[in-house]
């Protein structure tokens, strides 16, 4: 099989998206005065849904992020409340696709946390998470929600492991332990039955997540993969990476045969990481480089030439990361098919950029808005873990999106435990008799709590990893026999 090299010479073909253009929001519709994080970790540091914009921020003494209602544009107050429960820098944040007030975060403190944001946004700093999830032995760099199940969260740590969390019980239920270096990105196919990962060990993998079985893998020596994304139901993967000549490059793969890429295309000679964004409804691929000001976009087809370059949105302001508005949050009246929220660190602001299909008619354009995944889960966590796969529950954007159900996120209740040291329960209030006694007891309890927390965390992590390794061995052993 030979790899097709693409040419930048335009091949003229009919496409309804040939004239899509990027429109930046007016200044009053941008978000100003945001202390955007200066962390150099290669993530977006921004997550968006139809209610809120969340951004990882600079903060002293631990990690924090802010949550702003989408409608609350303009300059942010310098004392605006933050979500600040992590003890280390926050490395990734993702909104739950089915509960729009639920957001997950992961951090250098080895934890994954799930937060519930009140309606209308924060009124004071939030330090208490709905769930604190400990299972990784090193910092956690990536999190992804399952695309069709309501209570499944994936996390990838610098311990080279991917943990699958069942949020109905607040525990890790599976461990994927096939990577030999840091996992760079994760992507699901449409029904969440397959997981694609790119890794620093220069391998691209397609994994059956419930068993942890690697179905396909590619040794990417000529095309060093950075990011991977599933292309909807096309049974294709797209990766961004670097060629052997250190040019930025994209490659298209058949998910059932990773022996060779179908197509490779050189983009340019810049050094910033290329982030891919795929819109399965329009079959459009957007490429945004970290530190670039531009966003290129392509149309993807199942026949040659496979990748059709459309146009480029240009801006002088470099982007640190980009959030993406879900489909049901777009303005269908203006024929908006995609919306980015661009982090501009130098200015400390967030700039919405709308991708618009120019149309003369004011009526609803059904050809550019097919049925699309909504906010209703297709199955529960326990159903997915039992082996059931279901496609997303689709909605129409025609009549303005109305949520069909009012689900409530319920975190598992953890039993309150007592911690008795020297005959004193540290979790109960023991009234002291004098001020000096109060101070002595306070400092003694603080030291004891710190020591016990560190000891418990270390032991819990080890126990969970051993349990998951044992489960993996039990799953593998019948097949070997």
């Amino acid at each position: 099989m030979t790899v097709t090299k693409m040419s930048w010479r335009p091949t003229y073909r009919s496409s309804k998206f040939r004239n899509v253009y990027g429109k930046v929001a007016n200044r009053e519709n941008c978000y100003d005065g945001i202390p955007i994080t200066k962390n150099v970790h290669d993530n977006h540091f921004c997550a968006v849904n139809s209610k809120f914009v969340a951004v990882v921020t600079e903060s002293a003494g631990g990690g924090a992020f802010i949550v702003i209602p989408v409608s609350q544009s303009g300059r942010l107050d310098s004392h605006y409340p933050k979500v600040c429960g992590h003890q280390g820098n926050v490395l990734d944040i993702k909104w739950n696709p089915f509960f729009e007030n639920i957001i997950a975060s992961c951090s250098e403190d080895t934890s994954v946390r799930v937060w519930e944001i009140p309606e209308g946004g924060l009124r004071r700093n939030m330090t208490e998470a709905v769930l604190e999830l400990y299972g990784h032995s090193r910092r956690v760099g990536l999190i992804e929600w399952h695309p069709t199940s309501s209570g499944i969260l994936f996390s990838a740590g610098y311990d080279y492991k991917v943990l699958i969390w069942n949020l109905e019980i607040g525990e890790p239920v599976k461990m994927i332990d096939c990577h030999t270096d840091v996992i760079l990105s994760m992507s699901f196919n449409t029904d969440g039955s397959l997981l694609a990962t790119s890794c620093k060990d220069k391998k691209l993998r397609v994994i059956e997540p419930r068993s942890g079985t690697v179905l396909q893998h590619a040794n990417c020596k000529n095309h060093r993969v950075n990011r991977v994304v599933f292309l909807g139901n096309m049974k294709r993967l797209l990766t961004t990476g670097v060629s052997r000549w250190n040019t930025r490059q994209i490659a298209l793969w058949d998910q059932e045969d990773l022996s060779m890429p179908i197509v490779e295309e050189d983009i340019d000679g810049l050094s910033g990481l290329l982030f891919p964004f795929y819109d399965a409804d329009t079959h459009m691929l957007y490429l945004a480089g970290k530190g670039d000001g531009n966003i290129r976009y392509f149309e993807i087809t199942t026949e040659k030439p496979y990748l059709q370059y459309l146009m480029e949105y240009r801006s002088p302001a470099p982007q640190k990361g980009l959030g993406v508005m879900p489909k049901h949050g777009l303005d269908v009246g203006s024929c908006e098919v995609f919306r980015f929220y661009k982090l501009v660190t130098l200015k400390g602001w967030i700039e919405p950029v709308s991708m618009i299909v120019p149309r003369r008619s004011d009526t609803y354009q059904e050809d550019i808005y097919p049925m699309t995944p909504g906010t209703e889960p297709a199955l529960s966590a326990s159903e997915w873990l039992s082996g059931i796969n279901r496609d997303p529950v689709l909605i129409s954007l025609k009549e303005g999106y109305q949520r069909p159900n009012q689900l409530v996120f319920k975190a598992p209740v953890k039993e309150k435990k007592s911690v008795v040291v020297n005959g004193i329960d540290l979790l109960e209030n023991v009234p002291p008799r004098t001020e000096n006694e109060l101070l002595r007891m306070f400092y003694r309890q603080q030291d004891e709590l710190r020591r016990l927390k560190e000891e418990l965390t270390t032991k819990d992590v080890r126990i969970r990893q051993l349990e998951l390794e044992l489960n993996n061995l039990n799953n593998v052993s019948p097949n070997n026999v």
Side-chain angles (χ1 to χ4, degrees):
M1 181 179 178
T2 56
V3 177
T4 308
K5 286 284 183 181
M6 296 296 294
S7 164
W8 276 102
R9 285 176 297 186
T11 53
Y12 293 101
R13 57 182 291 274
S14 173
S15 171
K16 66 186 83 166
F17 304 111
R18 193 164 139 198
N19 296 311
V20 168
Y21 65 95
K23 181 182 178 183
V24 67
N26 297 328
R27 175 110 196 188
E28 60 267 22
N29 293 320
C30 295
Y31 306 83
D32 199 0
I34 314 285
I36 299 167
T37 180
K38 294 182 175 64
N39 195 308
V40 295
H41 188 70
D42 284 331
N43 265 348
H44 293 297
F45 300 113
C46 180
V48 185
N49 65 19
S50 63
K51 288 184 178 181
F52 301 108
V53 179
V55 184
V56 179
T57 59
E58 280 292 289
S59 64
F65 60 95
I66 57 170
V67 177
I68 313 163
V70 166
S71 58
Q72 193 179 314
S73 54
R75 186 158 189 86
L76 203 69
D77 186 275
S78 59
H79 300 294
Y80 194 85
K82 297 179 179 179
V83 179
C84 48
H86 283 287
Q87 277 80 53
N89 289 327
V90 175
L91 299 180
D92 199 9
I93 49 175
K94 294 278 166 62
W95 288 105
N96 186 313
F98 310 113
F99 303 94
E100 296 206 298
N101 291 59
I102 299 295
I103 188 168
S105 62
C106 63
S107 165
E108 290 180 349
D109 65 9
T110 76
S111 74
V112 176
R113 303 189 187 205
V114 179
W115 312 83
E116 184 168 11
I117 307 301
E119 285 294 331
L122 298 177
R123 292 166 186 81
R124 61 185 67 83
N125 282 353
M126 179 177 279
T127 57
E128 291 295 321
V130 176
L131 284 173
E132 293 184 19
L133 309 172
Y134 290 95
H136 289 281
S137 57
R138 296 184 67 189
R139 59 182 169 162
V140 188
L142 288 171
I143 45 174
E144 287 290 344
W145 292 95
H146 191 273
T148 61
S149 174
S150 57
I152 296 289
L153 181 66
F154 283 61
S155 63
Y158 276 63
D159 51 8
Y160 313 157
K161 293 174 174 59
V162 177
L163 293 184
I164 305 176
W165 301 89
N166 180 355
L167 301 189
E168 291 175 358
I169 59 172
E171 297 289 340
V173 288
K174 301 280 180 183
M175 179 173 66
I176 300 171
D177 194 14
C178 58
H179 301 88
T180 59
D181 210 325
V182 176
I183 298 138
L184 300 175
S185 67
M186 298 188 287
S187 177
F188 290 101
N189 65 343
T190 305
D191 65 2
S193 61
L194 295 176
L195 173 72
T197 64
S198 59
C199 182
K200 215 170 178 179
D201 63 10
K202 299 181 182 177
K203 286 187 179 180
L204 171 66
R205 295 173 174 87
V206 174
I207 301 164
E208 201 295 309
R210 282 167 291 216
S211 65
T213 306
V214 179
L215 304 177
Q216 290 282 331
H217 79 274
N219 288 307
C220 306
K221 292 177 181 174
N222 296 333
H223 169 77
R224 296 199 305 277
V225 173
N226 282 325
R227 292 292 182 272
V228 60
V229 62
F230 264 104
L231 301 181
N233 285 323
M234 298 175 77
K235 295 197 171 180
R236 299 276 165 87
L237 295 168
L238 184 123
T239 58
T240 67
V242 182
S243 73
R244 67 172 87 182
W245 297 282
N246 281 335
T247 56
R248 295 198 294 191
Q249 193 178 57
I250 57 175
L252 190 66
W253 307 77
D254 181 343
Q255 74 180 39
E256 294 173 352
D257 179 13
L258 298 183
S259 57
M260 284 281 271
I262 300 167
V263 167
E264 287 179 351
E265 180 166 341
D266 291 333
I267 302 298
D268 57 31
L270 299 178
S271 59
L273 174 73
L274 272 179
F275 291 116
F277 301 88
Y278 181 66
D279 179 1
D281 294 348
T282 61
H283 305 299
M284 284 178 67
L285 169 75
Y286 300 87
L287 294 180
K290 188 175 181 180
D292 297 359
N294 61 341
I295 300 171
R296 295 178 176 89
Y297 35 105
F298 301 75
E299 189 171 8
I300 295 185
T301 59
T302 53
E303 300 170 356
K304 287 184 179 180
Y306 305 115
L307 287 162
Q308 178 68 44
Y309 174 72
L310 294 173
M311 214 168 313
E312 182 177 356
Y313 162 77
R314 294 187 179 184
S315 162
Q319 57 230 4
K320 181 180 181 70
L322 294 153
V324 174
M325 174 65 76
K327 280 281 173 166
H328 60 267
L330 299 180
D331 179 7
V332 296
S334 64
C335 297
E336 182 184 35
V337 290
F338 215 74
R339 190 191 305 162
F340 292 101
Y341 284 75
K342 174 175 164 178
L343 301 188
V344 185
T345 313
L346 297 175
K347 297 181 181 178
W349 70 350
I350 308 168
E351 191 178 69
V353 179
S354 298
M355 311 309 292
I356 293 172
V357 180
R359 293 283 171 96
R360 288 192 178 93
S361 173
D362 291 333
T363 59
Y364 180 73
Q365 306 293 309
E366 292 200 37
D367 61 322
I368 61 174
Y369 294 115
M371 297 285 281
T372 191
T375 58
E376 186 179 352
L379 67 173
S380 67
S382 52
E383 285 177 321
W384 182 78
L385 288 167
S386 71
I388 300 171
N389 294 318
R390 283 196 199 122
D391 285 331
V393 179
L394 303 180
I395 58 163
S396 169
L397 302 178
K398 185 171 183 178
E399 303 301 330
Y401 176 67
Q402 295 295 325
R403 183 167 177 160
N405 60 338
Q406 291 297 323
L407 296 172
V408 178
F409 181 82
K410 290 183 180 178
V413 179
K414 304 278 185 178
E415 287 184 19
K416 185 182 175 184
K417 297 182 176 70
S418 62
V419 180
V420 179
V421 177
N422 296 335
I424 299 172
D425 188 346
L426 299 179
L427 301 183
E428 296 294 329
N429 293 320
V430 180
R433 286 187 288 273
T434 66
E435 188 174 340
N436 285 338
E437 189 179 355
L438 169 66
L439 286 171
R440 279 199 307 273
M441 184 176 289
F442 173 76
Y443 289 122
R444 190 169 67 243
Q445 288 180 350
Q446 290 297 305
D447 290 338
E448 191 63 31
L449 280 171
R450 198 175 296 112
R451 186 187 67 77
L452 287 169
K453 279 180 181 176
E454 288 172 0
E455 190 178 320
L456 277 171
T457 303
T458 306
K459 288 181 177 177
D460 280 350
V461 167
R462 186 63 189 143
I463 289 167
R464 283 172 183 165
Q465 287 191 351
L466 287 170
E467 285 174 347
L468 290 167
E469 284 173 9
L470 187 60
N471 286 342
N472 286 349
L473 286 171
N474 289 338
N475 290 337
V476 170
S477 56
N479 298 332
N480 292 341
V481 174

